[in-house]
Amino acid sequence: MSSDNHTPTKDPPDHPSASSNHHKQPLQPQPQQPLSRYESQKRRDWNTFIQYLKSQNPPLMMSQFDYTHVLSFLRYLDQFGKTKVHHQACVFFGQPDPPGPCTCPLKQAWGSLDALIGRLRAAYEEHGGGSPDTNPFANGSIRVHLREVRESQAKARGIPYRKKKRRKIKNDVVVVKKDVANSSTSKQSST
């Protein structure tokens, strides 16, 4: 019966108390917080680019590539694109919503490539790539390529890449309707 009243001062080794857990916590790795969507995309994009470099003949290391390899990577990605880009010879060239199918290629959309380059530029600097001035993803040739892709895709779809002007056109249409309505009422009152 004296064992019922006995309170142990130390827990057995296989049943640590909260106070002994406190001493063991720094030794155990703490679970990392999940990466943000941007960070996980950046990591996935960087790993894809590194795999692309390794698949080259001969394989390239991170210290060996330059902007020409970045341009070839962007062209390589076109085979996985989902954006229809019409050739100038296509009957649907310049039409935003073509009425039928055609054999023009699917390519990566300009916006996707632009975002990809931004993530890769940041990843390059995080992985010890050097100063922003020497970053191959920030090279002027990459910007020129992206501008050409944007312009060619806009022409192929018949959509100018100026969203603000579209909004003005909508307002002009409303103004025209008001003017038409006002002119018809003034014509009726003058007769």
Side-chain angles (χ1 to χ4, degrees), residues 35-114:
L35 295 175
S36 69
R37 182 172 182 230
Y38 172 79
E39 290 296 328
S40 62
Q41 279 183 316
K42 184 170 61 171
R43 178 184 288 179
R44 185 173 47 246
D45 293 339
W46 181 253
N47 290 337
T48 303
F49 181 70
I50 295 300
Q51 279 302 117
Y52 172 78
L53 291 178
K54 289 178 181 178
S55 71
Q56 298 302 296
N57 194 6
L60 296 170
M61 294 173 47
M62 186 178 134
S63 60
Q64 296 174 313
F65 80 94
D66 61 12
Y67 76 92
T68 58
H69 298 104
V70 176
L71 288 173
S72 65
F73 177 65
L74 294 178
R75 291 184 190 106
Y76 159 78
L77 290 177
D78 272 340
Q79 67 181 314
F80 307 110
K82 297 177 183 174
T83 301
K84 179 75 76 171
V85 180
H86 300 288
H87 293 296
Q88 285 187 337
C90 179
V91 296
F92 300 132
F93 182 81
Q95 294 184 19
D97 297 314
C102 68
T103 60
C104 293
L106 294 173
K107 295 188 174 188
Q108 290 288 335
W110 166 79
S112 299
L113 293 176
D114 187 50

Side-chain angles (χ1 to χ4, degrees), residues 8 23 48 53 72 76 110 139 147 174 176 191:
H23 296 294
T48 303
L53 291 178
S72 65
Y76 159 78
W110 166 79
N139 187 284
R147 187 179 319 119
V174 172
V176 170
T191 53

